[in-house]
Amino acid sequence: MKAWQFTGTNNPLELNEVPEPKAGPGQVVVEVKAAGVCHSDVTALDDPGWMPLFPVLPRTMGHENAGVVVEVGEGMDHWKVGDRVGLAPVMSDGDALGYGQWDGGFGPKLLATDDNLVKLPDEVSFELAAMATDAGLTAYHAIMAVGGAKAGMKVGVIGLGGLGYIGARVAVLSGAEVYGAEINPETQKLADEIGLAGVASSIDEFKDKGLDLIVDYAGFGTTTSAALETLAEFGTLVQVGMGRLESTINTYPLIINQLSIKGSKSGTKEDLEALYELMKSGKLNPPMNIITQAEIPEAIDKLRAGGVIGRFIAKY
């Protein structure tokens, strides 16, 4: 089978012939039906700081996946051929699909374990399910599990792309009053669809709103510093986005307002199950751009250039 593989920083993805995976003990083979393309794929390709995550090269990328079980290994009899599944990307040892020792979904089949596998309701499409595994899982975990968004809170969301749209929408559905920051004017038009109380190009335009929680899904340094300038006393910043791996911040508001900064990475299978229930209800329908496997590098180039609305999802 052919798979798009990472070979090193600043190298384009290579479409290589690779062997089809075979299920070992504790493993299943999943035939990928949909794979999401994430902005972190761009950063991994462009930023040498990500190289420690790729101890073995080449590696098939793609950490947002959904599909069907086609082979069951020893000890995995609780899964059966034909099961529809979404794949939580992170393994129990901290590795992840598309990184480390595990190939991802930029190829037609991949290996998965009980660390990954989540039953996919029939009502949820593979495309939506794939988006949920990272854009959804990461967004949900950051704003709900780490940030504790709930009814009555005032919440800021920076970046309304794949992750931010979902995070903001989930917070709205939880009953929070949500404000969004987004530099793309076209994406700003999604404010009513999400249910935002306000939208602006920078979160610091909502300094007067008394935001209890801000989740930065962009992470471009300036967004992080703007969040700290905006939070109300005892407020919390949850940092998710990795657009830049460094930020210069003003420590004055951090100290004077007794703020908290938390990091959030991916999420749990329980988060993914909760997301699938929301998606099953029809109340969470983020925008998607459906592409083919062949178009994955082109999608990465478009993400690199910026201005994309919705998640790119490769449909097999």
Side-chain angles (χ1 to χ4, degrees):
M1 65 181 195
K2 289 186 178 296
W4 288 108
Q5 297 195 302
F6 175 70
T7 62
T9 310
N10 293 322
N11 295 341
L13 289 178
E14 288 186 9
L15 187 61
N16 294 326
E17 192 77 33
V18 298
E20 291 199 15
K22 300 294 179 187
Q27 299 175 338
V28 302
V29 175
V30 174
E31 182 178 321
V32 181
K33 295 296 186 181
V37 184
C38 177
H39 202 281
S40 64
D41 295 326
V42 180
T43 315
L45 284 163
D46 296 351
D47 189 338
W50 285 61
M51 279 304 293
L53 299 177
F54 295 94
V56 179
L57 293 177
R59 175 61 63 214
T60 302
M61 293 183 73
H63 55 273
E64 299 184 355
N65 308 291
V68 175
V69 174
V70 292
E71 184 187 342
V72 177
E74 181 185 339
M76 296 292 280
D77 295 340
H78 45 288
W79 295 99
K80 64 182 186 297
V81 171
D83 281 348
R84 301 175 86 246
V85 292
L87 298 173
V90 179
M91 320 300 290
S92 57
D93 61 2
D95 226 339
L97 296 175
Y99 299 94
Q101 307 295 323
W102 295 87
D103 284 325
F106 288 177
K109 293 180 180 179
L110 54 75
L111 288 174
T113 74
D114 278 329
D115 289 346
N116 313 109
L117 296 163
V118 174
K119 186 166 178 56
L120 179 62
D122 290 339
E123 296 89 345
V124 181
S125 71
F126 289 116
E127 295 83 7
L128 205 52
M131 173 190 274
T133 61
D134 181 33
L137 184 67
T138 303
Y140 184 96
H141 186 75
I143 207 155
M144 300 301 289
V146 179
K150 59 186 179 182
M153 282 183 73
K154 292 186 177 182
V155 177
V157 170
I158 301 176
L160 298 174
L163 275 76
Y165 180 105
I166 295 172
R169 179 64 180 154
V170 166
V172 168
L173 291 173
S174 76
E177 183 178 308
V178 185
Y179 297 84
E182 172 59 54
I183 59 172
N184 184 343
E186 290 302 309
T187 306
Q188 286 184 6
K189 294 176 183 177
L190 299 173
D192 289 343
E193 181 181 315
I194 297 169
L196 298 181
V199 66
S201 58
S202 177
I203 201 67
D204 55 17
E205 295 189 40
F206 300 115
K207 278 186 180 179
D208 62 337
K209 299 300 181 185
L211 301 184
D212 307 297
L213 167 68
I214 295 176
V215 183
D216 182 2
Y217 290 109
F220 282 96
T222 53
T223 55
T224 305
S225 59
L228 292 173
E229 299 283 352
T230 303
L231 280 165
E233 189 174 21
F234 304 115
T236 299
L237 165 65
V238 178
Q239 188 64 44
V240 182
M242 301 172 73
R244 299 284 183 274
L245 298 182
E246 295 179 348
S247 176
T248 300
I249 64 170
N250 180 3
T251 56
Y252 181 81
L254 180 65
I255 299 162
I256 296 301
N257 291 327
Q258 301 181 76
L259 306 178
S260 298
I261 303 175
K262 298 179 179 181
S264 184
K265 179 187 78 170
S266 193
T268 66
K269 291 203 303 181
E270 290 73 26
D271 294 328
L272 189 54
E273 288 165 356
L275 259 176
Y276 285 160
E277 282 303 307
L278 273 178
M279 288 177 165
K280 182 179 171 181
S281 74
K283 294 178 181 177
L284 183 60
N285 289 293
M288 293 184 287
N289 305 294
I290 305 302
I291 59 172
T292 64
Q293 184 200 17
E295 294 173 302
I296 287 172
E298 182 184 342
I300 286 175
D301 287 341
K302 288 178 179 177
L303 287 176
R304 185 182 285 118
V308 175
I309 298 174
R311 203 68 158 182
F312 281 113
I313 306 291
K315 185 175 180 179
Y316 285 80

